Amino acid sequence: MRFLLDDEQREFGRTLGRMLAAADTPAAVRAWGAEDRGPGRAVWRRLGEAGVFGLAVPEKYGGSGFLPVELVVAYVEAGRHAVPGPLVETAAAAVLLDRLGDAGLTGGRLPAVAAGDWLPAVTAEDWLPAVATGDAMVSYADLARGPYALDAEAADATFAVRGDTLWRPGRGGAAQPSVDPARLLSRCTVDGGDVLASGPAVRDAAVYAADTARLLTGAQALGVGRRLLDDTVAYVGQRTQFGVAIGSFQAVKHRLADVLVALEFAGPLVLGAAVELAGGTADGGEGPTRAGTGIAMAKVAAGEAAYAAARAALQLHGALGYTDELDLSLWIRKARALRGAWGTPAECRARVLASPAPGR
């Protein structure tokens, strides 16, 4: 199995990186945490124009087809630049609804993309192209994992799955704070909500969508960890103590080397899981699947590596690391939030342990 990116995929990542570097994403993140969505929406539109969201949308709806490897490349860059908003949830919802559309359970009708209120349902042909172009921002929650949906107050549409039923949930009150100030959580409730589809196909599609969400969360975490490492290496090369840069101290070198090794091991796991998912080895069933197991391994490795990078960055920046004013804090907090999103380390390890042995 090939885990290396080809030249086109690498250039895609570099192009996104340059675009996001010019977009002043730290300012967009701070505005998002203050509930000013304008700068974040502008970043989303640029990502849509670059074709990022179309990577999760079928060609018949204006997308590029479901391309997990390219999605991973894009979401690593999104993590590296701390792009705000329900990036993972939008892609996962697009995957979920497309698979349900194939099964004919929704009758080709999905909730309207409306700002601040719900409108009558429209056809998938109207909704999915909006996702592909970045004009639709979607919140999606699996209620088996918790009652909260990310950025539901800012999203154009919210979907929730409970068991074998897909809901358009009712409003659950004001957004709740998160360890990451740009990740506002809203409580989802099916009380007063609308049932959109039900049956075994919903459960199967939700498993596949959750695997997609877990993979892309791991990709984001990988990007966050790499950014934290890069910024910390640059800082310890400039800060001096006893007349020399602290980066020359053996203890500092070893700490950062451990972070680098963790990130370098996580990278191939994330890409390998994307390759397996692209190959259709996830069967969508309830039990552990080959791709699902690999995704769980990748998620826990990337999440723990990013968390280690955050802890190292916090310590090696000294008192500066504890200040909200320093942009580094945006990545430190995001690493902690992504570590538990769409599968805690314990849940991911349990899934790996529950998987059948190779050849069985």
Side-chain angles (χ1 to χ4, degrees):
M1 181 179 294
R2 179 181 175 86
F3 297 132
L4 297 177
L5 299 174
D6 61 30
D7 291 341
E8 185 175 348
Q9 291 165 335
R10 285 193 291 269
E11 181 57 30
F12 177 54
R14 287 192 290 266
T15 300
L16 286 179
R18 290 191 293 268
M19 182 193 76
L20 291 172
D24 192 13
T25 52
V29 173
R30 294 186 187 282
W32 194 275
E35 301 189 30
D36 176 6
R37 317 295 185 189
R41 285 277 190 173
V43 175
W44 271 67
R45 284 192 292 272
R46 297 186 69 176
L47 288 174
E49 292 169 358
V52 170
F53 300 109
L55 297 170
V57 175
E59 292 182 19
K60 62 183 178 180
Y61 297 129
S64 304
F66 182 50
L67 301 175
V69 176
E70 284 74 12
L71 275 169
V72 161
V73 172
Y75 278 62
V76 167
E77 290 304 319
R80 189 190 292 274
H81 294 276
V83 176
L87 291 162
V88 167
E89 291 71 18
T90 295
V95 170
L96 170 77
L97 294 169
D98 175 54
R99 290 176 74 87
L100 287 180
D102 291 342
L105 289 177
T106 62
R109 303 191 66 80
L110 299 170
V113 176
D117 202 355
W118 299 112
L119 296 179
V122 296
T123 62
E125 284 77 5
D126 292 330
W127 186 82
L128 284 175
V131 173
T133 58
D135 293 325
M137 182 180 293
V138 184
S139 186
Y140 168 58
D142 184 340
L143 298 185
R145 303 176 191 281
Y148 294 103
L150 176 65
D151 291 316
E153 293 297 311
D156 299 301
T158 302
F159 304 99
V161 169
R162 186 174 70 176
D164 61 358
T165 304
L166 173 65
W167 294 79
R168 184 176 67 190
R171 295 190 177 276
Q176 303 297 310
S178 165
V179 64
D180 178 357
R183 290 176 61 88
L184 302 180
L185 303 172
S186 297
R187 181 177 291 274
C188 274
T189 173
V190 296
D191 297 333
D194 299 325
V195 175
L196 302 176
S198 61
V202 172
R203 188 185 309 112
D204 293 344
V207 170
Y208 198 90
D211 279 342
T212 301
R214 191 173 293 113
L215 173 65
L216 297 183
T217 301
Q220 268 194 299
L222 185 62
V224 167
R226 288 175 176 173
R227 175 61 178 264
L228 285 166
L229 178 61
D230 289 346
D231 287 356
T232 305
V233 168
Y235 178 75
V236 300
Q238 297 172 354
R239 181 186 171 192
T240 60
Q241 191 172 15
F242 307 118
V244 297
I246 65 171
S248 65
F249 299 160
Q250 191 174 46
V252 173
K253 289 181 178 180
H254 286 182
R255 184 73 182 273
L256 293 176
D258 288 342
V259 172
L260 176 61
V261 169
L263 290 168
E264 289 298 300
F265 271 96
L269 288 175
V270 172
L271 284 176
V275 170
E276 286 192 323
L277 192 62
T281 51
D283 62 18
E286 290 187 83
T289 65
R290 180 182 171 191
T293 300
I295 289 168
M297 293 172 60
K299 168 63 168 60
V300 71
E304 296 290 58
Y307 188 54
R311 289 172 61 88
L314 183 66
Q315 181 179 24
L316 295 178
H317 275 79
L320 281 174
Y322 289 88
T323 62
D324 286 338
E325 291 78 11
L326 186 69
D327 285 347
L328 183 83
S329 66
L330 305 178
W331 281 270
I332 289 176
R333 293 182 175 189
K334 192 170 293 292
R336 178 64 184 86
L338 292 176
R339 183 175 181 242
W342 288 102
T344 64
E347 290 170 341
C348 290
R349 290 188 177 103
R351 180 163 187 178
V352 173
L353 291 173
S355 65
R360 294 187 180 180

